[in-house]
Amino acid sequence: MDHRDPAAQGPACSAGLAHRVRAHCPVGKGPEAVVVDAPRRRAFVACSRSDAVVALDLDTARPVWRADVGREPIPLVLDRPTGRLFSADARSDTVTVLDSATGTRLAQIPVGCYPAGLGHHPGLRRVFSGNTADGTITAVDADRLEVVGTVPAELGAGSIAVDTRRDRGWCANFMTGSVTSFDAASLRPLGRTAVREGPCKAVVDPARGDLYVASSLHGTVSRIRLDTGALLGELPVERAPVGMCVDDVRGLLYVCNRGAGTVSVLDTATGRETHRIMVGNAPGDCALDPVSDTLLVSNAGSGTVTFVHRPWLPGPPPPTSHPLVGRRLPGFALPDLSDGRIRTSREWAEKKYVINFFASW
Protein backbone atom coordinates (compact mmCIF):
# COMPACT_ATOMS: atom_id res chain seq x y z
CA MET A 1 0.00 0.00 0.00
CA ASP A 2 1.52 3.30 -1.13
CA HIS A 3 1.14 6.07 1.43
CA ARG A 4 2.91 8.76 -0.53
CA ASP A 5 1.06 11.66 -2.15
CA PRO A 6 2.16 12.05 -5.80
CA ALA A 7 0.74 15.59 -5.94
CA ALA A 8 3.17 16.67 -3.24
CA GLN A 9 6.33 15.67 -5.11
CA GLY A 10 6.70 18.79 -7.26
CA PRO A 11 9.91 20.74 -7.90
CA ALA A 12 9.34 23.12 -4.99
CA CYS A 13 9.04 20.20 -2.61
CA SER A 14 12.09 18.35 -3.88
CA ALA A 15 14.10 21.57 -3.65
CA GLY A 16 13.18 21.87 0.01
CA LEU A 17 11.42 25.20 -0.48
CA ALA A 18 8.00 24.17 0.85
CA HIS A 19 6.25 21.78 3.19
CA ARG A 20 5.61 18.33 1.77
CA VAL A 21 2.72 15.96 2.38
CA ARG A 22 4.64 12.79 3.18
CA ALA A 23 1.79 10.33 3.58
CA HIS A 24 -1.93 9.79 4.01
CA CYS A 25 -2.20 6.81 6.36
CA PRO A 26 -5.58 4.99 6.60
CA VAL A 27 -6.53 4.40 10.24
CA GLY A 28 -10.28 3.82 10.58
CA LYS A 29 -13.58 5.65 10.63
CA GLY A 30 -13.84 9.18 12.00
CA PRO A 31 -10.32 9.80 13.35
CA GLU A 32 -10.33 12.72 15.79
CA ALA A 33 -7.65 13.23 18.46
CA VAL A 34 -4.03 12.48 17.60
CA VAL A 35 -1.23 12.28 20.19
CA VAL A 36 2.52 11.98 19.51
CA ASP A 37 5.06 10.10 21.63
CA ALA A 38 8.22 11.28 19.88
CA PRO A 39 10.84 9.42 22.00
CA ARG A 40 9.12 6.07 21.39
CA ARG A 41 8.37 6.97 17.73
CA ARG A 42 4.64 6.37 18.06
CA ALA A 43 1.46 8.32 17.40
CA PHE A 44 -2.01 7.42 18.64
CA VAL A 45 -5.32 8.21 16.98
CA ALA A 46 -8.87 7.99 18.37
CA CYS A 47 -11.15 6.61 15.64
CA SER A 48 -14.56 7.77 16.83
CA ARG A 49 -16.67 5.79 14.35
CA SER A 50 -14.63 2.62 14.71
CA ASP A 51 -14.72 2.66 18.55
CA ALA A 52 -10.99 2.08 18.53
CA VAL A 53 -7.57 3.61 19.11
CA VAL A 54 -4.85 3.00 16.52
CA ALA A 55 -1.08 3.28 17.10
CA LEU A 56 1.11 4.45 14.21
CA ASP A 57 4.83 4.22 13.58
CA LEU A 58 6.04 7.81 13.17
CA ASP A 59 8.85 6.88 10.80
CA THR A 60 7.01 4.55 8.43
CA ALA A 61 3.52 6.13 8.76
CA ARG A 62 1.99 2.68 9.18
CA PRO A 63 -0.31 1.16 11.84
CA VAL A 64 1.31 -0.83 14.66
CA TRP A 65 -1.68 -1.95 16.73
CA ARG A 66 -5.41 -1.39 17.08
CA ALA A 67 -7.33 -1.53 20.38
CA ASP A 68 -11.08 -1.53 20.98
CA VAL A 69 -12.28 1.02 23.54
CA GLY A 70 -15.71 2.38 24.45
CA ARG A 71 -18.22 3.88 22.03
CA GLU A 72 -17.19 7.02 20.14
CA PRO A 73 -13.71 7.85 21.47
CA ILE A 74 -12.96 11.49 20.69
CA PRO A 75 -10.04 12.83 22.80
CA LEU A 76 -6.80 11.17 23.89
CA VAL A 77 -4.04 12.02 26.35
CA LEU A 78 -0.77 10.20 27.01
CA ASP A 79 0.72 9.95 30.49
CA ARG A 80 4.40 9.50 29.64
CA PRO A 81 5.65 8.54 33.14
CA THR A 82 3.45 5.42 33.09
CA GLY A 83 3.09 4.94 29.34
CA ARG A 84 -0.68 4.93 29.78
CA LEU A 85 -3.02 6.20 27.10
CA PHE A 86 -6.39 7.65 28.16
CA SER A 87 -9.37 7.71 25.78
CA ALA A 88 -12.67 9.44 26.60
CA ASP A 89 -15.50 7.37 25.11
CA ALA A 90 -18.33 9.84 24.62
CA ARG A 91 -21.24 7.43 24.12
CA SER A 92 -20.09 5.03 26.84
CA ASP A 93 -19.59 7.69 29.54
CA THR A 94 -16.20 6.18 30.32
CA VAL A 95 -12.47 6.79 30.11
CA THR A 96 -10.57 3.76 28.80
CA VAL A 97 -6.94 3.29 29.85
CA LEU A 98 -4.55 1.46 27.49
CA ASP A 99 -0.93 0.38 27.65
CA SER A 100 0.55 2.56 24.89
CA ALA A 101 3.21 -0.03 24.04
CA THR A 102 0.81 -2.89 23.31
CA GLY A 103 -2.73 -1.50 23.26
CA THR A 104 -3.71 -3.75 26.18
CA ARG A 105 -6.70 -2.44 28.11
CA LEU A 106 -5.81 -1.65 31.74
CA ALA A 107 -9.03 -0.09 33.03
CA GLN A 108 -12.33 1.53 32.09
CA ILE A 109 -13.40 4.33 34.43
CA PRO A 110 -16.98 5.70 34.62
CA VAL A 111 -17.07 9.50 34.39
CA GLY A 112 -19.82 12.01 33.50
CA CYS A 113 -22.30 12.03 30.64
CA TYR A 114 -20.82 12.23 27.13
CA PRO A 115 -17.14 12.92 27.88
CA ALA A 116 -15.84 14.73 24.78
CA GLY A 117 -12.64 16.33 26.07
CA LEU A 118 -9.56 15.40 28.09
CA GLY A 119 -6.84 17.36 29.86
CA HIS A 120 -3.69 16.22 31.61
CA HIS A 121 -1.48 17.53 34.42
CA PRO A 122 1.47 15.10 34.72
CA GLY A 123 2.91 16.87 37.77
CA LEU A 124 -0.30 16.57 39.78
CA ARG A 125 -0.86 13.05 38.35
CA ARG A 126 -4.34 13.93 37.11
CA VAL A 127 -6.41 13.46 33.98
CA PHE A 128 -9.49 15.64 33.50
CA SER A 129 -12.60 14.68 31.54
CA GLY A 130 -14.95 17.34 30.12
CA ASN A 131 -18.48 15.92 30.31
CA THR A 132 -20.55 17.62 27.63
CA ALA A 133 -24.08 16.66 28.67
CA ASP A 134 -23.44 17.11 32.41
CA GLY A 135 -21.58 20.40 32.17
CA THR A 136 -18.95 19.04 34.57
CA ILE A 137 -15.27 18.10 34.73
CA THR A 138 -14.23 14.77 36.26
CA ALA A 139 -10.74 14.47 37.79
CA VAL A 140 -9.07 11.04 37.58
CA ASP A 141 -5.93 9.97 39.44
CA ALA A 142 -3.45 8.91 36.71
CA ASP A 143 -1.75 6.35 38.98
CA ARG A 144 -4.64 4.81 40.93
CA LEU A 145 -7.02 5.10 37.96
CA GLU A 146 -9.95 6.28 40.08
CA VAL A 147 -12.12 9.39 40.20
CA VAL A 148 -10.93 11.93 42.80
CA GLY A 149 -13.38 14.80 42.29
CA THR A 150 -15.72 16.82 40.09
CA VAL A 151 -15.61 20.46 39.01
CA PRO A 152 -18.74 22.34 37.88
CA ALA A 153 -18.43 23.86 34.39
CA GLU A 154 -21.17 24.70 31.89
CA LEU A 155 -23.28 22.89 29.32
CA GLY A 156 -21.17 21.51 26.52
CA ALA A 157 -18.02 21.06 28.64
CA GLY A 158 -15.44 19.42 26.40
CA SER A 159 -11.84 20.20 25.47
CA ILE A 160 -9.57 20.89 28.44
CA ALA A 161 -6.21 22.67 28.34
CA VAL A 162 -3.94 22.63 31.39
CA ASP A 163 -1.47 25.36 32.34
CA THR A 164 1.05 23.32 34.36
CA ARG A 165 3.01 26.42 35.44
CA ARG A 166 0.01 27.83 37.28
CA ASP A 167 -1.75 24.52 38.07
CA ARG A 168 -4.79 25.85 36.29
CA GLY A 169 -7.21 24.12 33.91
CA TRP A 170 -9.38 25.63 31.17
CA CYS A 171 -12.50 23.87 29.87
CA ALA A 172 -14.24 24.94 26.64
CA ASN A 173 -18.04 24.90 26.98
CA PHE A 174 -19.46 24.37 23.50
CA MET A 175 -23.13 25.10 24.20
CA THR A 176 -22.67 28.27 26.25
CA GLY A 177 -19.83 29.94 24.34
CA SER A 178 -17.53 30.15 27.33
CA VAL A 179 -14.38 28.82 28.98
CA THR A 180 -14.35 27.69 32.63
CA SER A 181 -11.08 28.04 34.52
CA PHE A 182 -10.38 25.88 37.59
CA ASP A 183 -7.66 25.08 40.10
CA ALA A 184 -6.18 21.75 39.01
CA ALA A 185 -5.01 20.93 42.54
CA SER A 186 -7.99 21.91 44.72
CA LEU A 187 -10.58 21.41 41.92
CA ARG A 188 -12.15 24.80 42.67
CA PRO A 189 -13.79 26.71 39.80
CA LEU A 190 -12.00 30.05 39.36
CA GLY A 191 -13.86 31.97 36.71
CA ARG A 192 -15.58 32.18 33.35
CA THR A 193 -14.48 33.84 30.11
CA ALA A 194 -16.98 34.40 27.31
CA VAL A 195 -15.83 33.48 23.80
CA ARG A 196 -17.51 33.08 20.41
CA GLU A 197 -20.06 30.42 19.52
CA GLY A 198 -19.11 26.75 19.54
CA PRO A 199 -15.75 26.59 21.34
CA CYS A 200 -14.51 23.05 20.84
CA LYS A 201 -10.74 23.07 21.37
CA ALA A 202 -8.47 24.80 23.87
CA VAL A 203 -4.65 24.71 23.88
CA VAL A 204 -2.01 26.42 26.01
CA ASP A 205 0.93 28.35 24.56
CA PRO A 206 3.44 28.24 27.44
CA ALA A 207 6.01 30.38 25.65
CA ARG A 208 3.70 33.39 25.27
CA GLY A 209 1.49 32.73 28.31
CA ASP A 210 -1.67 32.55 26.21
CA LEU A 211 -4.62 30.23 25.81
CA TYR A 212 -6.14 29.65 22.36
CA VAL A 213 -9.77 28.60 21.94
CA ALA A 214 -11.14 27.54 18.54
CA SER A 215 -14.76 28.61 18.00
CA SER A 216 -16.03 26.29 15.29
CA LEU A 217 -19.32 28.08 14.62
CA HIS A 218 -17.68 31.47 14.20
CA GLY A 219 -14.49 30.64 12.30
CA THR A 220 -12.18 32.32 14.78
CA VAL A 221 -9.60 31.51 17.45
CA SER A 222 -9.85 33.49 20.69
CA ARG A 223 -6.68 34.45 22.55
CA ILE A 224 -6.89 34.59 26.36
CA ARG A 225 -4.17 35.68 28.79
CA LEU A 226 -3.33 32.81 31.14
CA ASP A 227 -2.39 34.90 34.17
CA THR A 228 -5.47 37.15 34.12
CA GLY A 229 -8.10 35.30 32.10
CA ALA A 230 -8.58 38.42 29.96
CA LEU A 231 -9.74 38.02 26.37
CA LEU A 232 -7.07 39.61 24.16
CA GLY A 233 -8.76 39.30 20.78
CA GLU A 234 -9.69 36.96 17.94
CA LEU A 235 -7.73 35.46 15.06
CA PRO A 236 -9.74 34.71 11.88
CA VAL A 237 -9.23 31.33 10.19
CA GLU A 238 -11.17 29.23 7.67
CA ARG A 239 -14.43 27.35 8.15
CA ALA A 240 -15.20 25.39 11.31
CA PRO A 241 -11.88 25.28 13.22
CA VAL A 242 -12.04 22.29 15.57
CA GLY A 243 -8.48 21.20 16.40
CA MET A 244 -5.19 22.94 17.21
CA CYS A 245 -1.65 22.49 18.42
CA VAL A 246 1.15 24.92 19.29
CA ASP A 247 4.76 24.94 18.13
CA ASP A 248 6.14 27.11 20.93
CA VAL A 249 9.70 26.82 19.59
CA ARG A 250 8.89 28.48 16.26
CA GLY A 251 5.98 30.51 17.58
CA LEU A 252 3.31 28.92 15.39
CA LEU A 253 -0.27 27.82 15.94
CA TYR A 254 -1.73 25.12 13.69
CA VAL A 255 -5.53 25.23 13.31
CA CYS A 256 -7.54 22.40 11.69
CA ASN A 257 -10.36 23.85 9.59
CA ARG A 258 -12.90 21.06 9.42
CA GLY A 259 -15.13 22.79 6.88
CA ALA A 260 -12.31 23.61 4.46
CA GLY A 261 -10.00 20.59 4.51
CA THR A 262 -7.06 22.77 5.48
CA VAL A 263 -4.73 23.66 8.35
CA SER A 264 -4.13 27.37 8.96
CA VAL A 265 -0.61 28.24 10.15
CA LEU A 266 -0.66 31.33 12.38
CA ASP A 267 2.26 33.38 13.69
CA THR A 268 1.63 33.65 17.45
CA ALA A 269 3.55 36.93 17.69
CA THR A 270 1.44 38.77 15.10
CA GLY A 271 -1.69 36.61 14.99
CA ARG A 272 -1.49 36.55 11.21
CA GLU A 273 -1.93 33.50 9.02
CA THR A 274 1.31 32.76 7.20
CA HIS A 275 -0.04 30.00 4.94
CA ARG A 276 -2.46 27.08 4.66
CA ILE A 277 -1.85 23.38 4.23
CA MET A 278 -4.22 21.20 2.20
CA VAL A 279 -4.92 17.92 4.02
CA GLY A 280 -7.79 15.39 3.93
CA ASN A 281 -11.54 15.80 4.38
CA ALA A 282 -12.84 17.28 7.66
CA PRO A 283 -9.56 17.54 9.62
CA GLY A 284 -10.25 17.06 13.32
CA ASP A 285 -7.02 17.54 15.26
CA CYS A 286 -3.24 17.74 14.89
CA ALA A 287 0.00 17.10 16.75
CA LEU A 288 3.70 17.72 16.12
CA ASP A 289 6.58 15.27 15.95
CA PRO A 290 9.60 17.48 16.69
CA VAL A 291 12.09 14.72 15.85
CA SER A 292 11.12 14.42 12.18
CA ASP A 293 9.68 17.96 11.84
CA THR A 294 6.30 16.50 10.94
CA LEU A 295 2.73 17.63 11.60
CA LEU A 296 0.17 14.83 11.93
CA VAL A 297 -3.42 15.74 11.02
CA SER A 298 -6.40 13.44 11.58
CA ASN A 299 -9.01 13.62 8.81
CA ALA A 300 -12.41 12.54 10.11
CA GLY A 301 -14.00 12.60 6.66
CA SER A 302 -11.20 10.65 4.95
CA GLY A 303 -10.41 8.08 7.63
CA THR A 304 -6.74 9.00 7.38
CA VAL A 305 -3.88 10.75 9.15
CA THR A 306 -1.88 13.16 6.97
CA PHE A 307 1.87 13.44 7.64
CA VAL A 308 3.14 16.93 6.67
CA HIS A 309 6.92 17.35 6.62
CA ARG A 310 8.30 20.78 7.65
CA PRO A 311 4.84 22.33 8.10
CA TRP A 312 6.21 25.79 8.93
CA LEU A 313 7.25 26.38 5.30
CA PRO A 314 4.60 27.74 2.92
CA GLY A 315 3.57 25.56 0.02
CA PRO A 316 2.49 26.70 -3.45
CA PRO A 317 0.45 29.92 -3.36
CA PRO A 318 -3.34 29.41 -3.31
CA PRO A 319 -5.31 30.24 -6.49
CA THR A 320 -5.90 33.97 -6.79
CA SER A 321 -9.48 35.22 -7.01
CA HIS A 322 -10.83 37.21 -9.95
CA PRO A 323 -10.00 40.96 -9.67
CA LEU A 324 -13.73 41.83 -9.69
CA VAL A 325 -14.43 39.77 -6.56
CA GLY A 326 -15.35 42.10 -3.70
CA ARG A 327 -16.00 45.13 -5.91
CA ARG A 328 -19.37 46.85 -6.29
CA LEU A 329 -21.74 45.61 -8.97
CA PRO A 330 -21.41 47.90 -12.01
CA GLY A 331 -24.58 49.63 -13.14
CA PHE A 332 -26.40 48.22 -16.16
CA ALA A 333 -29.70 48.54 -18.10
CA LEU A 334 -31.03 45.69 -20.24
CA PRO A 335 -34.37 44.81 -21.89
CA ASP A 336 -36.51 42.19 -20.16
CA LEU A 337 -36.86 39.24 -22.55
CA SER A 338 -40.46 38.65 -21.49
CA ASP A 339 -41.89 42.09 -22.27
CA GLY A 340 -39.05 44.25 -23.58
CA ARG A 341 -39.19 46.59 -20.57
CA ILE A 342 -35.84 48.12 -19.58
CA ARG A 343 -34.61 46.80 -16.23
CA THR A 344 -31.73 48.42 -14.37
CA SER A 345 -29.43 47.36 -11.56
CA ARG A 346 -30.93 50.10 -9.37
CA GLU A 347 -34.05 47.95 -8.88
CA TRP A 348 -32.07 45.48 -6.78
CA ALA A 349 -30.06 47.94 -4.68
CA GLU A 350 -29.59 46.80 -1.05
CA LYS A 351 -31.25 43.45 -1.84
CA LYS A 352 -29.97 39.89 -2.11
CA TYR A 353 -30.34 38.38 -5.56
CA VAL A 354 -29.00 35.80 -7.98
CA ILE A 355 -28.10 36.70 -11.56
CA ASN A 356 -27.92 33.94 -14.15
CA PHE A 357 -25.82 34.86 -17.17
CA PHE A 358 -26.24 32.49 -20.11
CA ALA A 359 -25.51 32.29 -23.81
CA SER A 360 -28.48 32.23 -26.19
CA TRP A 361 -26.99 30.05 -28.88
Side-chain angles (χ1 to χ4, degrees):
M1 180 167 52
D2 187 3
H3 295 271
R4 301 185 69 81
D5 179 12
Q9 310 304 315
C13 299
S14 60
L17 300 178
H19 68 255
R20 178 170 60 90
V21 175
R22 197 181 101 208
H24 296 293
C25 179
V27 289
K29 298 178 182 178
E32 295 289 354
V34 55
V35 173
V36 166
D37 185 357
R40 295 180 176 89
R41 311 306 300 141
R42 291 287 182 268
F44 308 97
V45 187
C47 297
S48 64
R49 304 303 177 194
S50 297
D51 300 336
V53 172
V54 174
L56 303 176
D57 186 296
L58 283 172
D59 298 313
T60 64
R62 294 182 181 277
V64 177
W65 55 252
R66 179 188 185 278
D68 294 330
V69 290
R71 297 170 63 198
E72 198 177 354
I74 298 175
L76 290 174
V77 296
L78 175 65
D79 181 52
R80 289 183 174 83
T82 61
R84 291 171 175 169
L85 192 65
F86 293 77
S87 159
D89 315 315
R91 295 178 63 194
S92 295
D93 301 338
T94 58
V95 169
T96 299
V97 187
L98 303 174
D99 182 327
S100 65
T102 64
T104 302
R105 181 182 297 189
L106 304 176
Q108 198 162 45
I109 306 164
V111 289
C113 187
Y114 204 86
L118 286 178
H120 181 221
H121 193 313
L124 294 177
R125 310 303 302 133
R126 284 182 176 171
V127 172
F128 302 97
S129 165
N131 308 311
T132 300
D134 284 351
T136 61
I137 302 162
T138 301
V140 175
D141 187 291
D143 296 313
R144 302 197 307 269
L145 303 182
E146 60 185 35
V147 173
V148 294
T150 303
V151 183
E154 292 189 289
L155 190 61
S159 175
I160 298 174
V162 179
D163 176 10
T164 56
R165 294 182 182 178
R166 298 170 180 83
D167 293 339
R168 192 172 186 181
W170 301 81
C171 178
N173 305 304
F174 184 88
M175 302 299 292
T176 57
S178 66
V179 179
T180 298
S181 59
F182 63 96
D183 188 302
S186 67
L187 304 182
R188 291 185 302 108
L190 298 175
R192 176 188 190 274
T193 302
V195 292
R196 292 288 191 171
E197 300 91 339
C200 57
K201 181 71 174 185
V203 295
V204 166
D205 180 358
R208 297 192 62 84
D210 290 338
L211 175 79
Y212 298 101
V213 182
S215 295
S216 61
L217 302 184
H218 197 258
T220 58
V221 175
S222 298
R223 174 182 270 172
I224 297 171
R225 195 66 190 164
L226 286 171
D227 54 0
T228 65
L231 180 63
L232 302 179
E234 295 177 339
L235 313 176
V237 289
E238 281 203 289
R239 297 185 301 277
V242 297
M244 295 184 294
C245 69
V246 174
D247 182 348
D248 56 357
V249 175
R250 291 185 174 85
L252 297 174
L253 176 68
Y254 296 95
V255 184
C256 298
N257 303 305
R258 198 181 198 99
T262 63
V263 174
S264 292
V265 185
L266 306 182
D267 185 318
T268 58
T270 65
R272 295 177 180 174
E273 183 177 283
T274 62
H275 61 289
R276 293 176 187 170
I277 302 170
M278 295 295 299
V279 289
N281 295 329
D285 207 358
C286 56
L288 283 164
D289 172 23
V291 174
S292 64
D293 290 331
T294 298
L295 179 73
L296 281 71
V297 183
S298 60
N299 305 300
S302 303
T304 60
V305 171
T306 298
F307 286 65
V308 183
H309 182 54
R310 298 205 295 183
W312 63 88
L313 292 176
T320 57
S321 61
H322 193 277
L324 291 180
V325 172
R327 295 181 61 184
R328 288 181 176 273
L329 176 70
F332 64 85
L334 294 170
D336 192 313
L337 293 179
S338 62
D339 57 15
R341 187 162 55 96
I342 298 298
R343 310 297 296 270
T344 73
S345 55
R346 291 192 300 273
E347 298 178 47
W348 297 285
E350 306 301 327
K351 297 178 182 178
K352 294 181 180 180
Y353 50 86
V354 176
I355 301 177
N356 180 22
F357 292 96
F358 66 97
S360 59
W361 64 77

